[in-house]
């Protein structure tokens, strides 16, 4: 039985092109994995690990927490493979498990800092590289804090759309909502972020 430590961090995995089964569809690999084929599941881990890690990093803001969330998500997926009914893409199913794990971890952490604590844009010579670098770092920190201020539904939809590039239909499947709900959450998230990032435009 696969344990949590059986999965190396996704960013250390071999490139998908080096795998002999790289052309096998996810659904077939999932069927094989559900029958106990650990090699097939390892292909799925390599195939989707980096995207899930990027998602978790955006949601949690901490590389160590993100790695833990993805590891736990893969272990959960392995154990729940018999529940996968192929009604959605396997990737969508993995995204849903990872999002739920990240939300659980977020709820166990202290509340985020207020946007009032965001550092103001760096002053000085606009052509100064250190000043530009400092301003960029501060803007990134401001965006991170602004994302943390969004409610969970808005944050998840924004990350899945703007960072992961998922279509509205797939986001709706991941979040177990409808496309109009996804669009509404994205509209509110974008409006909130636009207001929060006003000083940096």
């Amino acid at each position: 039985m696969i344990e949590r430590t059986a999965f190396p961090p996704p960013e250390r995995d071999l490139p998908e092109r080096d795998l002999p089964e790289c052309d096998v569809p996810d659904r077939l690999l999932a069927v094989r994995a559900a029958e106990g084929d650990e090699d097939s599941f390892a292909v799925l881990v390599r195939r989707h690990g980096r995207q899930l890690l990027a998602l978790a990093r955006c949601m949690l803001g901490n590389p160590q927490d993100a790695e833990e969330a993805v590891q736990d998500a893969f272990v959960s997926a392995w154990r729940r493979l018999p529940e996968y009914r192929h009604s959605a893409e396997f990737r969508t199913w993995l995204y849903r498990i990872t999002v739920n794990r990240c939300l659980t971890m977020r709820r166990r952490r202290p509340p985020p800092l207020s946007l009032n604590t965001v550092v103001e844009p760096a002053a000085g010579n606009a052509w100064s590289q250190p000043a530009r670098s400092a301003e960029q770092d501060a803007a990134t920190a401001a965006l991170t804090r602004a994302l943390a201020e969004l409610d969970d539904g808005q944050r998840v939809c924004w990350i899945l759309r703007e960072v992961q590039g998922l279509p509205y239909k797939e986001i709706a499947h991941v979040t177990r909502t409808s496309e109009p709900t996804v669009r509404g959450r994205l509209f509110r998230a974008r409006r909130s972020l636009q207001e929060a990032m006003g000083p940096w435009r």
Side-chain angles (χ1 to χ4, degrees):
M1 183 176 185
I2 286 186
E3 299 294 337
R4 186 178 185 277
T5 54
F7 302 116
E11 71 268 24
R12 298 175 194 166
D13 289 343
L14 293 175
E16 183 182 334
R17 62 178 176 274
D18 293 338
L19 298 169
E21 298 168 313
C22 62
D23 294 327
V24 179
D26 281 357
R27 293 190 181 207
L28 180 54
L29 290 170
V31 169
R32 292 177 179 174
E35 295 171 349
D37 184 351
E38 295 184 9
D39 289 338
S40 291
F41 194 72
V43 176
L44 292 168
V45 171
R46 292 183 176 95
R47 186 172 291 178
H48 299 288
R50 287 180 176 84
Q51 285 183 313
L52 295 179
L53 189 61
L55 166 66
R57 281 175 174 165
C58 287
M59 290 190 65
L60 298 172
N62 180 293
Q64 290 74 34
D65 288 347
E67 187 172 298
E68 178 183 344
V70 173
Q71 293 274 2
D72 288 347
F74 276 126
V75 171
S76 178
W78 169 258
R79 292 172 177 166
R80 294 168 54 188
L81 274 170
E83 301 174 17
Y84 175 54
R85 302 304 182 198
H86 308 277
S87 57
E89 293 293 330
F90 186 78
R91 180 183 75 162
T92 303
W93 189 66
L94 278 179
Y95 268 88
R96 182 182 297 158
I97 293 172
T98 305
V99 165
N100 289 338
R101 178 60 187 155
C102 289
L103 291 176
T104 297
M105 292 179 69
R106 281 184 58 83
R107 294 184 188 112
R108 294 175 180 170
R109 288 172 13 177
L113 294 173
S114 167
L115 286 177
N116 294 331
T117 64
V118 174
V119 181
E120 292 298 322
N125 185 348
W127 298 102
S128 168
Q129 183 61 38
R132 285 201 302 272
S133 178
E135 183 169 349
Q136 183 177 12
D137 291 344
T140 300
L143 177 59
T144 299
R145 289 189 171 94
L147 280 171
E149 291 290 323
L150 298 176
D151 67 45
D152 287 340
Q154 293 177 24
R155 185 186 312 105
V156 169
C157 288
W158 188 89
I159 292 172
L160 291 175
R161 178 63 181 174
E162 303 297 342
V163 179
Q164 297 288 314
L166 269 60
Y168 294 112
K169 183 177 181 179
E170 188 169 1
I171 296 173
H173 281 301
V174 170
T175 57
R176 295 183 184 274
T177 57
S178 64
E179 288 187 54
T181 298
V182 169
R183 292 179 184 275
R185 289 176 178 177
L186 280 170
F187 173 79
R188 291 189 291 276
R190 288 164 176 161
R191 183 176 59 188
S192 296
L193 292 176
Q194 185 175 25
E195 293 174 357
M197 299 303 293
W200 307 94
R201 288 181 300 188

